[in-house]
């Protein structure tokens, strides 16, 4: 028996990168995992095409998953999009769009899943935050603000639902080796130099692996973390807290 045998899980953004690593990890442990993604992987019967920016789509998909699985025990709000620029650079439309996906996306999915989480004996929500929530990074005004909001939302939700037996935590990765970062590197004038700069920015000297983030999610979603709620686990090679000498 593992911690996840028969556990019913919903992962947003589970088609790529960190989300795909979470789906793999929890399925390996015996969980039934549904994927809600804009671009779901083909051939996966438990993957649904959903834009977390659209409430009616979210409600319908969450209800479909709950009916197919007989309930929902764990929600991982992982879907997210990036944005580059200072406060001077992004339009109002871009601000609304990124906040709508990165913050309200987690609100919509959690809200729709709450009735089933309340009925679960081991309910947990894990939000995918970022080092940009607490560390000031250049050109990340909008993205960092969205993840800062998700960080605060995690604490408020944890307080609201602790007496209902629903734990709410977040994982905060540093720069992780995913298709997202590959796209970022490909758009840089010198991708090799950009990669070296990103690696050097993290005290442990390399990019975070998606599987390392998935391990932290698995811990927070498991009954082993039964006394852990309202916390944010940093998986960032020390980026948010350490100031090592070069
Ligand atoms: N890669 C990093 O360096 C890094 C660092 C810190 C935090 N994060 C966070 O981790 C999460 C996953 O990032 P990743 O690097 O795996 O990215 P990714 O681009 O590889 O995967 C993101 C997934 O989310 C899906 N998605 C995007 N918008 C959606 C929407 N509106 N509705 C439904 N699905 C949507 C995409 O289709 C994709 O499958 C994001 O929330 C990101 O902010 C990533």
């Amino acid at each position: 028996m593992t911690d996840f045998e028969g556990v019913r899980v919903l992962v947003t953004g589970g088609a790529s990168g960190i989300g795909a690593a979470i789906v793999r990890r929890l399925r390996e442990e015996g969980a039934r995992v549904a994927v809600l993604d804009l671009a779901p992987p083909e051939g996966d019967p438990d993957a649904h095409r959903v834009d977390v920016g659209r409430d009616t789509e979210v409600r319908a998909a969450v209800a479909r998953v709950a009916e197919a699985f007989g309930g929902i025990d764990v929600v991982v709000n992982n879907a997210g999009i990036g944005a580059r620029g200072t406060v001077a650079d992004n339009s109002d439309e871009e601000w609304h769009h990124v906040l709508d996906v990165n913050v309200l996306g987690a609100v919509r999915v959690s809200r729709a899943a709450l009735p089933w989480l309340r009925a679960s004996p081991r309910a947990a929500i894990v939000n995918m935050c970022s080092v940009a929530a607490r560390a000031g990074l250049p050109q990340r005004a909008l993205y960092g603000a969205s993840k800062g909001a998700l960080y605060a939302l995690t604490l408020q939700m944890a307080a609201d639902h602790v007496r209902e037996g629903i734990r709410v935590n977040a994982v905060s990765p540093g720069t992780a080796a995913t298709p997202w970062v590959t796209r970022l590197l490909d758009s840089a004038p010198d991708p090799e130099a950009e990669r070296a700069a990103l690696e050097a920015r993290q005290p442990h000297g390399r990019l975070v692996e998606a599987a390392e983030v998935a391990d932290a999610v698995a811990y927070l979603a498991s009954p082993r973390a039964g006394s852990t709620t309202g916390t944010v686990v940093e998986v960032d090679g020390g980026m948010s807290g350490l100031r090592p000498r070069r």
Side-chain angles (χ1 to χ4, degrees):
M1 280 291 274
T2 74
D3 286 340
F4 287 95
E5 209 58 60
V7 173
R8 302 153 301 180
V9 182
L10 191 158
V11 179
T12 68
S16 172
I18 289 170
I22 295 166
V23 172
R24 251 192 324 273
R25 172 75 156 79
L26 298 184
R27 282 182 177 163
E28 276 165 16
E29 291 214 30
R32 289 197 71 183
V33 185
V35 172
L36 270 53
D37 201 293
L38 263 185
E42 274 175 33
D44 181 342
D46 291 324
H48 307 267
R49 199 209 159 277
V50 175
D51 180 349
V52 298
R54 293 174 184 267
D55 196 46
T56 45
E57 282 183 25
V58 168
R59 285 181 189 276
V62 170
R64 222 160 45 233
V65 170
E67 193 181 333
F69 288 3
I72 297 172
D73 303 295
V74 173
V75 168
V76 183
N77 287 309
N78 164 79
I81 53 175
R84 194 180 167 76
T86 72
V87 75
D89 297 325
N90 301 107
S91 66
D92 280 12
E93 286 69 29
E94 287 171 301
W95 274 87
H96 286 304
H97 181 55
V98 174
L99 292 172
D100 195 43
V101 173
N102 291 4
V103 187
L104 274 83
V107 171
R108 292 184 186 102
V109 176
S110 305
R111 185 168 62 198
L114 266 179
W116 288 285
L117 293 173
R118 287 190 177 115
S120 164
R122 48 161 304 165
I125 296 176
V126 184
N127 294 329
M128 194 54 62
C129 208
S130 165
V131 67
R134 293 206 306 131
L137 307 176
Q139 302 281 329
R140 292 291 181 274
L142 166 52
Y143 178 68
S146 75
K147 292 297 180 175
L150 191 58
Y151 188 112
L153 178 67
T154 300
L155 306 186
Q156 315 317 318
M157 285 171 60
D160 284 335
H161 302 295
V162 62
R163 293 292 167 81
E164 297 178 327
I166 304 170
R167 297 181 302 101
V168 186
N169 293 285
V171 175
S172 197
T175 307
T178 70
W180 171 319
V181 169
T182 307
R183 288 193 297 273
L184 199 81
L185 294 177
D186 288 346
S187 68
D190 183 347
E192 277 306 304
E194 183 66 14
R195 186 182 178 96
L198 290 178
E199 287 172 346
R201 193 168 69 172
Q202 293 182 150
H204 71 342
R206 63 171 174 84
L207 298 185
V208 171
E209 295 297 330
E212 295 173 317
V213 182
D215 281 341
V217 171
Y219 169 68
L220 291 171
S222 83
R224 290 171 202 267
S227 293
T228 302
T229 189
T231 67
V232 180
V233 174
E234 320 279 358
V235 184
D236 63 2
M239 192 175 164
S240 57
L242 307 186
R243 302 290 179 275
R245 292 178 67 153
R246 295 264 169 238

